[in-house]
Amino acid sequence: LAKTTQPISMDSYEGQEVNITCSHNNIATNDYITWYQQFPSQGPRFIIQGYKTKVTNEVASLFIPADRKSSTLSLPRVSLSDTAVYYCLVGDGNTGFQKLVFGTGTRLLVSP
Amino acid sequence: DAGVTQSPTHLIKTRGQQVTLRCSPKSGHDTVSWYQQALGQGPQFIFQYYEEEERQRGNFPDRFSGHQFPNYSSELNVNALLLGDSALYLCASSLGAGPSYEQYFGPGTRLTVT
């Protein structure tokens, strides 16, 4: 399973763009890159998933370089409600059965 | 459309006891995974059920067992509880078991072992 490394914490202010980078040097050919958000005492919530290049949805963008050894989650114009833990995961695509491996995540604190 | 539901919300057990946690997947989902999340840590994968069979298992002892029913709901059983089993237990469901399928998580069951 590909291991991921991401910053332990980040601070930002309302209205700013936040970029969280995740390193996954030994990602396998079939692996997808997925980001989840978690608020205290709640289950994680899917944000975005990608395989290569750029993916954008209504809440975030995911940038994946050609070598796929890293990825960057971009949150545009964050608000106080974006304060949460963000997890970068690389899915094991070899077995056909998903086994999400969470790290310790990045704690994002958004201040007024 | 109800999302993933889990019961009970909170549970207090004594060391050595057994516990059963329940999960109902999101409507239309056929795959259920269970995770354990200790305070301040990321969720740790316990196992995944698809077509009523355990398909993948994480690094958890045999004291942790599960079951999936024909209606896709699932149970997590933990025997001989230890203090270290105190955690938030999360259930996630997906349509399909592959890595590209989005997992939907429930609110979790907070288990406290005293």
Side-chain angles (χ1 to χ4, degrees), chain B residues 16-48:
Chain B
Q17 286 187 317
Q18 178 265 344
V19 68
T20 298
L21 310 181
R22 295 176 175 82
C23 170
S24 291
K26 180 178 170 65
S27 178
H29 284 186
D30 58 5
T31 303
V32 173
S33 301
W34 286 91
Y35 296 81
Q36 178 195 66
Q37 185 172 27
L39 201 60
Q41 302 297 315
Q44 300 298 308
F45 176 80
I46 302 176
F47 41 53
Q48 180 187 67

Side-chain angles (χ1 to χ4, degrees), chain A residues 3-104:
Chain A
K3 180 181 177 181
T4 61
T5 303
Q6 52 185 122
I8 295 175
S9 64
M10 294 183 69
D11 295 322
S12 184
Y13 294 96
E14 282 189 295
Q16 288 190 333
E17 178 183 74
V18 171
N19 295 307
I20 306 175
T21 297
C22 178
S23 172
H24 28 80
N25 290 318
N26 58 339
I27 187 170
T29 302
N30 295 332
D31 288 348
Y32 285 80
I33 300 160
T34 311
W35 287 80
Y36 280 81
Q37 174 193 56
Q38 187 177 28
F39 298 110
S41 298
Q42 293 186 26
R45 182 177 73 98
F46 174 91
I47 301 175
I48 197 167
Q49 182 181 70
Y51 183 76
K52 61 181 179 180
T53 63
K54 175 184 174 182
V55 180
T56 298
N57 61 22
E58 63 276 9
V59 298
S61 293
L62 178 59
F63 298 91
I64 305 171
D67 66 5
R68 303 202 326 126
K69 294 184 182 299
S70 67
S71 60
T72 299
L73 174 71
S74 180
L75 304 173
R77 298 179 299 281
V78 294
S79 64
L80 297 178
S81 62
D82 291 317
T83 293
V85 178
Y86 293 82
Y87 293 98
C88 164
L89 295 89
V90 176
D92 182 353
N94 292 324
T95 67
F97 292 101
Q98 190 178 54
K99 179 179 176 180
L100 296 183
V101 179
F102 288 81
T104 53

